[in-house]
């Protein structure tokens, strides 16, 4: 479903060149649950940004559903993000002026031909799924960190994306709340969602079905544990 | 439609997040728009008042007024002699076309009597054409006619308010009023006061010739307790031309004739249509001036909006990044920021229009200065405030959209 071919990313800072990704090769199939791990600065976030089409590679190819993304222009990339990718960030990134329900519905605003009533019902269903059915009208600042991250997950699901990308989604949460979020991911994966999580915590990696370990911009190890 | 509604809704919610800042921004536009409308209303009102008073003089008229140029001490006892002469009048009559109405006026100030009832009035000795040149219409009876002048009839036409004063319960026609020992039979009552006269008090019109034979060539007037004896052939000569084109050539002729016999310029020639043109020119200048002031104030308001939108963009870079990650295209971001700017300036515009309608009304009620609101100025001000939003909102919007999604997201 997803394929990376010789993906390179270099940053130019003044005269200095940082090679964040050095020819990454990776294939992720549908329904996989992947954790990307590795030391700080190893290129995990850079890789995830490439997967989310938030940034463009310096060289190499990135194929989604066998379609090369390098041929897409800015508008098409936006459309691709909107339709096929759901993001979950470490800092939740909810809009403070909007309620829980409005935050969940935000991605629909950039989709054409959405049925307002159906999507409203869908947003309510998702809020219930993440356990916030009673808090639809609350504003983000009235929620705990764990609850905010649940809103963000519901928002990532609203367009029924192919894949969910999460960069340190539990980085700001205590271990109990972390477990709840991981439970939620597991449920979603069982329901058929493809999930890729960047983390440096073993607890998170242990819950995934496949762990990709990075070092200095390359994949060091790629292990699948079929259990769990 | 639904989309537009939710865009506006988004904009309002974002702006509501920073109420104080949004309202301060709006203030610039509010005052800009309100001052545009108010200034135009005051300007329009002033020029309308000026034009109305000029039109009352008659737009195809030429008015020659006698002016006393002699020194105060010279005036004490002697008979003062000045102004338009019979010779001037007959020359002017021959010089201007046949289709012209001319009326001489001699003006007497004094009391008229009806039995024991005495009233201060202005008695105007005139030709029958006065009703044409000053557009006086009658409520009752008839005007003075050429026959009255030829036969020196002791008849008069009185104005409506004098009629009410003297004859509240009876028919004024055929009544006789006396002025300085002569009796005049009322033959007509005018509808309104003669607007061309500066005095708003009662007016009586009598035939020019009758006045000469009854009261002589020397005019005696008593004003505020001071006496004066004047030898003036006519205090005023009013010439009504058939159309505005004829006014200019007639004006030159009249000017030449009057210059001829008057070493001291003891007369004044007024041409209302020239005043009207001057008024139009003044109005044009005024509009340009007001327009520039208004433009500057709106520019200031617009810069305020741009300033706030720029601050907003850098503050909300992360939001922009998030929206891009969730599928927003560059143009969606541009639309969002421009619509916020437009909402701001339209709210400012609405409040400004409201103030702009209110303030001229207050000015008129409290100072009595005439103001004239025009739909045009309201529409203009509103349109400009909208444009201000688009123009000054565009730069921040385009700037915000040019960021790549990851750059925007990483921003802290
Ligand atoms: N915008 C950027 N400009 C310059 N260098 C960058 C930029 N983003 C990342 N890098 C560099 O690329 C390398 C990989 O960074 P990346 O953020 O992917 O690491 P990471 O694995 O996510 O680390 P962490 O666990 O600390 O989040 C680092 O050396 C980093 O300094
Ligand atoms: Mg990282």
């Amino acid at each position: 479903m997803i394929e990376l071919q010789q993906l390179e990313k270099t940053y130019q800072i003044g005269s200095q060149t940082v090679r964040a990704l050095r020819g990454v090769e990776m294939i992720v199939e549908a329904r996989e649950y992947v954790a990307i791990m590795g030391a700080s600065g190893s290129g995990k976030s850079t890789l995830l940004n490439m997967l989310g089409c938030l940034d463009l590679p310096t060289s190499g190819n990135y194929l989604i559903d066998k379609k090369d993304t390098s041929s897409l222009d800015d508008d098409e990339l936006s459309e691709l993000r909107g339709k096929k990718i759901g993001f979950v960030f470490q800092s939740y990134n909810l809009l403070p002026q909007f309620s829980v329900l409005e935050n969940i519905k935000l991605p629909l605003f950039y989709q054409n031909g959405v049925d307002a009533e159906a999507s409203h019902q869908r947003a309510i269903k998702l809020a219930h799924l993440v356990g916030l059915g009673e808090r639809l009208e609350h504003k983000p600042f009235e929620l705990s960190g764990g609850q905010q991250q649940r809103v963000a997950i519901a928002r990532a699901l609203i367009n029924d994306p192919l894949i969910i990308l999460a960069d340190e989604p539990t980085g700001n949460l205590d271990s109990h709340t972390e477990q709840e979020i991981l439970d939620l991911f597991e449920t979603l994966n069982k329901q058929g969602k493809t999930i890729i999580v960047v983390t440096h915590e073993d607890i998170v990696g242990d819950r995934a079905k496949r762990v990709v370990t990075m070092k200095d911009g390359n994949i060091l190890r790629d292990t699948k544990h079929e259990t769990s | 439609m639904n989309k537009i509604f939710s865009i506006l809704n988004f904009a309002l919610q974002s702006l509501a997040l920073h109420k104080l800042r949004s309202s301060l921004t709006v203030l610039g536009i509010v005052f800009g728009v309100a001052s545009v409308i108010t200034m135009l209303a005051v300007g329009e009102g002033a020029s309308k008042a000026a034009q109305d008073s000029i039109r009352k003089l008659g737009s195809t008229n030429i008015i020659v007024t006698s002016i006393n140029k002699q020194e105060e001490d010279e005036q004490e006892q002697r008979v003062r002699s000045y102004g338009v002469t019979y010779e001037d009048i007959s020359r002017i009559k021959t010089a201007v076309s046949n289709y012209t109405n001319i009326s001489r006026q001699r003006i007497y100030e004094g009391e008229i009597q009806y039995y024991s009832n005495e009233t201060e009035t202005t008695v105007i000795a005139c030709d029958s054409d006065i009703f044409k040149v000053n557009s006086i219409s009658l409520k009752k009876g008839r005007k003075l006619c050429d026959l009255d002048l030829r036969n020196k009839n002791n008849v008069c036409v009185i104005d409506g308010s004098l009629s009410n004063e003297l004859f509240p319960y009876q028919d004024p026609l055929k009544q006789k009023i006396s002025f300085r020992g002569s009796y005049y039979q009322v033959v007509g009552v005018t509808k309104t006061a003669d607007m061309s006269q500066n005095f708003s008090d009662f007016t009586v019109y009598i035939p020019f010739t009758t006045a000469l034979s009854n009261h002589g060539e020397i005019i005696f007037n008593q004003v505020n307790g001071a006496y004066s004896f004047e030898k003036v052939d006519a205090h005023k000569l009013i010439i009504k031309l058939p159309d505005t084109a004829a006014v200019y050539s007639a004006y030159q002729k009249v000017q030449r004739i009057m210059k001829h016999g008057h070493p001291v310029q003891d007369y004044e020639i007024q041409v209302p249509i020239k005043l009207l043109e001057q008024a139009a020119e003044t109005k044009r200048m005024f509009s340009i001036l007001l327009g520039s002031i208004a433009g500057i104030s709106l520019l200031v308001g617009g810069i305020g909006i741009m300033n706030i939108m720029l601050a907003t963009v850098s503050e909300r870079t992360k939001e922009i990044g998030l929206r891009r990650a969730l599928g927003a295209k560059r143009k969606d971001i541009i639309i969002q920021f421009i619509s916020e700017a437009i909402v701001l300036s339209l709210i400012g515009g609405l409040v400004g229009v409201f103030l702009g309608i209110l303030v001229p009304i207050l000015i008129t009620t409290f100072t009595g200065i005439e103001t004239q609101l025009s739909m045009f100025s309201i529409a203009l001000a509103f349109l400009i405030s909208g444009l201000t939003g688009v123009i000054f909102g565009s730069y921040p919007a385009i700037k915000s959209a040019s960021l790549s999604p990851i750059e925007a997201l990483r921003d802290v």
Side-chain angles (χ1 to χ4, degrees):
Chain A
M1 187 179 73
I2 277 181
E3 187 170 355
L4 300 181
Q5 300 169 339
Q6 282 302 315
L7 207 71
E8 300 246 358
K9 180 70 182 179
T10 52
Y11 292 107
Q12 254 329 326
I13 305 167
S15 58
Q16 214 179 338
T17 315
V18 181
R19 295 184 66 196
L21 297 179
R22 312 183 183 200
V24 175
E25 298 266 345
M26 185 163 87
I27 293 176
V28 178
E29 298 295 347
R31 296 166 173 269
E32 273 199 279
Y33 183 179
V34 185
I36 299 176
M37 303 193 67
S40 184
S42 58
K44 308 184 292 290
S45 296
T46 306
L47 179 63
L48 199 77
N49 293 337
M50 297 296 150
L51 291 173
C53 298
L54 292 172
D55 208 356
L56 298 174
T58 313
S59 68
N61 294 318
Y62 171 29
L63 283 67
I64 297 183
D65 278 344
K66 303 223 163 33
K67 196 170 160 55
D68 195 341
T69 56
S70 59
S71 65
L72 302 178
D73 65 18
D74 193 76
D75 278 1
E76 290 166 326
L77 285 174
S78 297
E79 210 170 307
L80 183 89
R81 285 194 295 268
K83 285 206 166 73
K84 305 203 165 167
I85 299 164
F87 290 94
V88 178
F89 305 93
Q90 180 173 358
S91 50
Y92 327 132
N93 283 351
L94 302 178
L95 293 187
Q97 68 265 38
F98 292 156
S99 69
V100 166
L101 199 58
E102 286 169 321
N103 266 293
I104 295 176
K105 289 205 284 195
L106 188 60
L108 295 171
F109 186 69
Y110 301 109
Q111 299 297 312
N112 294 321
V114 230
D115 175 350
E117 186 48 37
S119 59
H120 182 73
Q121 291 308 326
R122 187 170 156 70
I124 291 177
K125 225 174 83 189
L126 284 172
H128 280 281
L129 178 76
V130 298
L132 289 170
E134 309 304 315
R135 306 224 167 210
L136 298 179
E137 296 309 322
H138 286 232
K139 293 280 167 73
F141 61 84
E142 298 164 328
L143 302 176
S144 72
Q147 288 168 330
Q148 290 189 49
Q149 195 59 298
R150 288 157 184 276
V151 177
I153 293 169
R155 178 181 66 192
L157 293 168
I158 189 81
N159 275 335
D160 197 18
L162 286 178
I163 182 167
I164 295 209
L165 300 179
D167 195 348
E168 314 252 13
T170 57
N172 290 358
L173 302 175
D174 63 57
S175 56
H176 176 71
T177 321
E178 180 171 37
Q179 284 305 331
E180 287 176 359
I181 296 292
L182 293 176
D183 289 344
L184 187 55
F185 276 144
E186 208 167 278
T187 318
L188 291 173
N189 181 244
K190 282 201 178 112
Q191 288 172 4
K193 279 274 169 271
T194 312
I195 298 174
I196 303 180
V197 186
V198 164
T199 185
H200 55 258
E201 292 175 272
D202 289 335
I203 328 164
V204 181
D206 290 346
R207 300 278 294 256
K209 291 192 219 156
R210 173 181 169 191
V211 177
V212 173
T213 311
M214 296 202 53
K215 188 172 188 254
D216 297 334
N218 252 318
I219 293 177
L220 181 71
R221 244 188 340 261
D222 190 344
T223 50
K224 293 188 186 182
H225 23 119
E226 288 307 327
T227 48
S228 92
Chain B
M1 199 56 225
N2 222 336
K3 187 98 177 174
I4 292 173
F5 182 76
S6 40
I7 287 175
L8 289 183
N9 190 29
F10 271 15
L12 278 174
Q13 273 174 304
S14 300
L15 297 174
L17 200 62
H18 305 282
K19 287 189 191 68
L20 180 66
R21 195 173 67 186
S22 301
S23 29
L24 285 177
T25 317
V26 161
L27 272 189
I29 297 289
V30 168
F31 290 130
V33 167
S35 63
V36 171
I37 297 177
T38 306
M39 284 191 286
L40 288 178
V42 171
E44 198 66 37
S47 91
K48 187 172 166 279
Q51 289 186 11
D52 283 352
S53 63
I54 292 167
R55 278 211 188 82
K56 280 175 192 160
L57 291 173
S59 54
T60 58
N61 287 0
I62 296 172
I63 301 157
V64 187
T65 311
S66 300
I67 301 171
N68 181 18
K69 281 281 172 68
Q70 289 161 26
E71 301 288 319
E72 275 293 323
D73 53 335
E74 265 184 285
Q75 290 178 15
E76 285 290 308
Q77 297 299 324
R78 277 199 299 146
V79 173
R80 293 180 281 156
S81 172
Y82 65 91
V84 182
T85 63
Y86 294 135
E87 203 185 331
D88 296 330
I89 296 170
S90 65
R91 283 177 185 220
I92 289 172
K93 270 187 178 163
T94 37
V96 296
S97 98
N98 294 332
Y99 300 104
T100 306
N101 301 108
I102 294 185
S103 178
R104 298 167 290 177
Q105 286 191 7
R106 285 168 83 110
I107 297 164
Y108 302 87
E109 304 285 349
E111 280 170 354
I112 57 144
Q113 273 179 298
Y114 176 70
Y115 291 102
S116 60
N117 206 341
E118 285 191 359
T119 313
E120 237 0 276
T121 54
T122 301
V123 175
I124 300 175
C126 55
D127 292 302
S128 60
D129 273 356
I130 187 127
F131 297 96
K132 277 181 197 148
V133 298
N134 281 354
S135 315
I136 304 164
S137 49
L138 290 199
K139 192 155 70 180
K140 218 172 208 177
R142 65 172 180 85
K143 298 171 180 172
L144 300 179
C145 62
D146 290 339
L147 210 62
D148 292 326
L149 274 114
R150 211 176 306 144
N151 297 342
K152 300 176 186 169
N153 287 341
N154 275 323
V155 292
C156 68
V157 169
I158 62 175
D159 77 71
S161 44
L162 179 61
S163 171
N164 291 340
E165 172 82 13
L166 291 180
F167 315 107
Y169 305 117
Q170 59 203 112
D171 186 1
L173 298 183
K174 302 245 172 68
Q175 303 294 337
K176 284 185 176 162
I177 56 176
S178 87
F179 177 65
R180 293 184 186 169
S182 303
Y183 283 91
Y184 296 88
Q185 191 179 43
V186 179
V187 295
V189 180
T190 68
K191 210 175 262 170
T192 45
D194 183 348
M195 286 307 192
S196 71
Q197 304 298 333
N198 291 329
F199 24 79
S200 55
D201 46 33
F202 305 132
T203 315
V204 174
Y205 302 91
I206 59 175
F208 196 86
T209 49
T210 317
L212 281 185
S213 75
N214 285 346
H215 308 296
E217 284 291 346
I218 308 289
I219 297 168
F220 164 73
N221 271 330
Q222 185 183 7
V223 180
N224 302 332
Y227 303 98
S228 72
F229 291 93
E230 299 181 329
K231 164 88 178 66
V232 179
D233 291 351
H235 285 108
K236 254 188 195 176
L237 183 70
I238 308 173
I239 307 152
K240 184 179 179 66
L241 283 310
D243 52 58
T244 50
V247 172
Y248 294 96
S249 63
Y251 171 57
Q252 293 191 333
K253 286 177 195 160
V254 171
Q255 237 179 351
R256 245 193 334 266
I257 292 164
M258 289 305 295
K259 214 169 212 163
H260 186 68
H262 298 264
V264 182
Q265 204 197 335
D266 52 358
Y267 62 89
E268 181 191 41
I269 307 176
Q270 274 178 300
V271 187
I273 191 149
K274 291 188 82 168
L275 295 177
L276 212 59
E277 278 162 11
Q278 279 164 16
E281 176 65 10
T282 313
K283 189 192 165 193
R284 209 174 64 85
M285 299 292 293
F286 206 52
S287 301
I288 291 173
L289 178 75
L290 290 180
S292 343
I293 295 174
I296 289 169
S297 57
L298 278 171
L299 186 74
V300 171
I303 290 171
I305 287 215
M306 177 147 99
N307 194 17
I308 232 67
M309 293 319 287
L310 276 175
T312 309
V313 166
S314 47
E315 191 176 288
R316 289 162 68 194
T317 310
K318 199 152 188 178
E319 174 186 334
I320 294 167
L322 172 74
R323 286 177 184 269
R324 297 277 276 136
L326 300 184
K329 296 177 180 146
R330 288 212 157 98
K331 75 166 202 293
D332 294 320
I333 302 296
I334 292 179
I335 289 171
Q336 182 194 343
F337 276 80
I338 288 189
S339 60
E340 281 181 26
I342 292 176
V343 165
L344 269 187
S345 53
L346 285 189
I347 289 174
L350 268 181
V351 179
V353 164
F354 177 74
L355 266 186
I357 292 174
L358 190 68
V359 170
I361 293 173
L362 292 180
I363 289 178
T364 307
T365 34
F366 288 112
T367 67
I369 293 172
E370 195 174 336
T371 54
Q372 175 88 14
L373 269 178
S374 72
M375 272 325 283
F376 168 75
S377 69
I378 293 175
L380 180 80
F382 203 65
L383 185 80
I384 290 177
S385 74
L387 278 181
T388 310
V390 177
I391 293 167
F392 290 97
S394 294
Y395 173 67
I398 291 167
K399 191 178 142 124
S400 65
S402 66
L403 295 168
S404 94
I406 190 62
E407 277 168 351
L409 261 178
R410 235 195 315 253
D411 193 273
V412 214

